[in-house]
Each structure stands twice: as structure tokens, then as C-alpha cells.
Amino acid sequence: MHVPVQAAASAQSEQPHSVTLIGSVQRAMRLLESVAEHEHGAPAKQLARETGLALPTAYHLLRTLVHEGYLRRDKGLFFLGEAAERLSSSGAQEKRRSTVVEALAHWRDVIGVPVYYALYRDGEIDVVCVSDTPGNPAVEEWADFRETGHAHAIGQCLLAQLDEEARRDHLDRYPVQSITPYTVRDSHHLLRRLERTGRMEPVIERQEYALGTVCAAIPITVGDTAATMAISLPAHQADRLLAAARQLQGEIGRLMGSLAISISI
């Protein structure tokens, strides 16, 4: 096959450039890995020797990595920089999230109910993960979960773990309002209910947030973080709710060691 001279020349000019770029990335990654192995830093000559790079090449790549924030240089030694640490932190966070997601999916299948994970963060109710199936769908968020914490088991469970000042602050920002005919009437009745809630008792809610749905939430406290795992069921299966909540609580207890480090995802 005949290739036009101009096209051939273009291909020849592009190919070495592409190979150079890929090779540079590979060499830069080897340098990053080498630096990561030296907690107290390492000089360029040592890094070049460990990675099998010519010293001028190592110097060039190290300067580039310092400029981009992936490395920092101090007294002739190279250390991982903020950009590399952010990458590491992001990876660790994703791993923690994956641990919780897998746990929720396991409990969903074992108990046969939708499972929710939420925490109270920066003054807000944050539903982090939900695991359900088409046969057992989660409750539809028809009213903002953050603004209706007084009406659902997740919110009530999280509010019960806060001190009185934090509870009142939350209710000042998100006043109690009627969501369904079964919703708690006012903040006075809600606060009395929360005060009577046992520290490790499941919080039960029946059609207060969504008609036709009952929910239960299990309190989880690790350090200063208020968190909860919750389940929901159709109202006609309400007789299953407490037993399913107790089963979830037992499952959480068995896995709490591995979940503790993941609680703040």
C-alpha cells in the first residue's frame, strides 16, 4: 500500500512524541513511588539510582513534579507534596465509602429490606448511601430529608444523639411541620420523644414521613459523629419492622470494627 509522503512524515513526527509522553509519565510515576518509600525524604541522586534513570532526566522530572505540587523539596531532599497527598486521601475515602456500600448491600440481601446510611454533618442531615432493589424499593424523597428530620426515623435518630442545644438549633432552622396526618404535632412533643429515646434503642416511625411506609433507625456513634443505619418497609409489613431492626443492629455489631474507620465518608 502506498502511503503519501506527507502523511508518512506526519506519522513519523507524531509517533516518537507520543512514545516520549508515555515514557515520561512512567518515569515520573516511578519517581513518585520511590519518594513515597522515603518518609524522611531522599536526594535526587538516590532517587535516580533507585529508579534507573539518568541523573539529568531525574532532575528534570523532579523539578516538574515539584512545580505541579506532587513533590516538595526541602534542603535537597524530596518529599511527597500536597497534590500527591490529596490523591492518597481521595483513594482512602473511596475505599471507606466502598466498605459501607458493600455492607449495606449485604444487609439489604440478608434482611430483605432497603438499608440507609446517614450522618449528622455540619448541622445537616446527610443521607450518604441507600441500598435497595426493585422488589424492595427505598422511600422516595418527596420532601427534603434535611428539612424534615422531625418526621422520619433517620432524622429522629440523629437528633436524639445530639445535645439539647444542637437539637434546638436544628429545629429553629427546620421547624416541625405536618408532613402526613401521623407526623409529630410540634417541637415540644418531638423533644419529649427524643429525650425518652434509649441511647442504643431503635427509633421507630410509622407513616410520619410517607403514607404507607414504616421505618426504623439504629443509632451509631463513633467519636463525635452521630450516624445511623435505617430500614423501611411497607405499612402492611409493619409487624416485621422491629425484628428486622434488631437483626440489622446485630449485623452492625458484628461489623462495627471494620465500619468504625468508614463512618465519616
Side-chain angles (χ1 to χ4, degrees):
M1 181 178 68
H2 177 68
V3 179
V5 174
Q6 186 175 2
S10 175
Q12 289 174 355
S13 64
E14 290 177 5
Q15 191 174 12
H17 182 59
S18 299
V19 172
T20 300
L21 283 177
I22 295 171
S24 296
V25 171
Q26 290 174 326
R27 290 190 286 271
M29 294 304 294
R30 290 208 303 270
L31 282 170
L32 281 172
E33 290 171 353
S34 185
V35 172
E37 293 175 358
H38 297 282
E39 181 181 353
H40 303 293
K45 288 183 179 179
Q46 182 178 354
L47 295 170
R49 184 171 63 253
E50 291 177 354
T51 55
L53 298 177
L55 187 56
T57 300
Y59 270 127
H60 174 72
L61 290 171
L62 288 167
R63 284 196 300 270
T64 301
L65 290 167
V66 169
H67 180 267
E68 296 298 325
Y70 291 98
L71 295 179
R72 63 181 176 86
R73 187 177 183 181
D74 184 19
K75 298 178 181 178
L77 301 178
F78 291 90
F79 303 81
L80 289 180
E82 290 184 3
E85 290 170 355
R86 283 196 300 272
L87 286 176
S88 175
S89 174
S90 177
Q93 183 178 17
E94 184 59 32
K95 185 175 181 180
R96 292 195 299 270
R97 180 181 178 84
S98 184
T99 299
V100 174
V101 169
E102 290 173 5
L104 262 64
H106 170 73
W107 297 329
R108 175 203 67 201
D109 295 340
V110 168
I111 306 173
V113 294
V115 184
Y116 310 74
Y117 169 60
L119 50 81
Y120 197 80
R121 177 161 50 191
D122 299 326
E124 301 290 348
I125 293 168
D126 184 5
V127 180
V128 180
C129 299
V130 180
S131 187
D132 64 352
T133 64
N136 292 298
V139 177
E140 181 181 354
E141 187 180 359
W142 70 276
D144 193 324
F145 281 143
R146 293 172 301 175
E147 298 178 6
T148 57
H150 62 282
H152 49 73
I154 287 173
Q156 293 174 18
C157 187
L158 292 174
L159 292 173
Q161 296 177 61
L162 305 180
D163 60 34
E164 183 178 354
E165 182 179 354
R167 284 180 201 161
R168 292 188 179 277
D169 172 72
H170 183 91
L171 295 175
D172 285 343
R173 290 182 288 118
Y174 301 116
V176 172
Q177 55 182 312
S178 293
I179 304 298
T180 76
Y182 302 96
T183 306
V184 64
R185 294 198 302 270
D186 52 47
S187 59
H188 174 71
H189 285 86
L190 175 66
L191 289 170
R192 286 187 60 190
R193 180 194 296 183
L194 296 178
E195 289 168 0
R196 292 196 301 266
T197 301
R199 193 171 69 88
M200 296 309 296
E201 285 297 306
V203 174
I204 304 296
E205 168 261 302
R206 295 179 174 85
Q207 304 191 79
E208 294 182 49
Y209 175 79
L211 291 175
T213 303
V214 295
C215 302
I218 309 299
I220 305 171
T221 304
V222 178
D224 296 328
T225 302
T228 182
M229 298 281 183
I231 60 174
S232 62
L233 282 166
H236 68 270
Q237 296 182 30
D239 57 339
R240 287 185 56 206
L241 186 64
L242 187 56
R246 293 294 189 194
Q247 186 178 358
L248 175 63
Q249 194 166 31
E251 293 280 343
I252 293 171
R254 280 190 285 276
L255 279 182
M256 200 59 215
S258 60
L259 283 174
I261 196 170
S262 308
I263 205 70
S264 60
I265 62 171

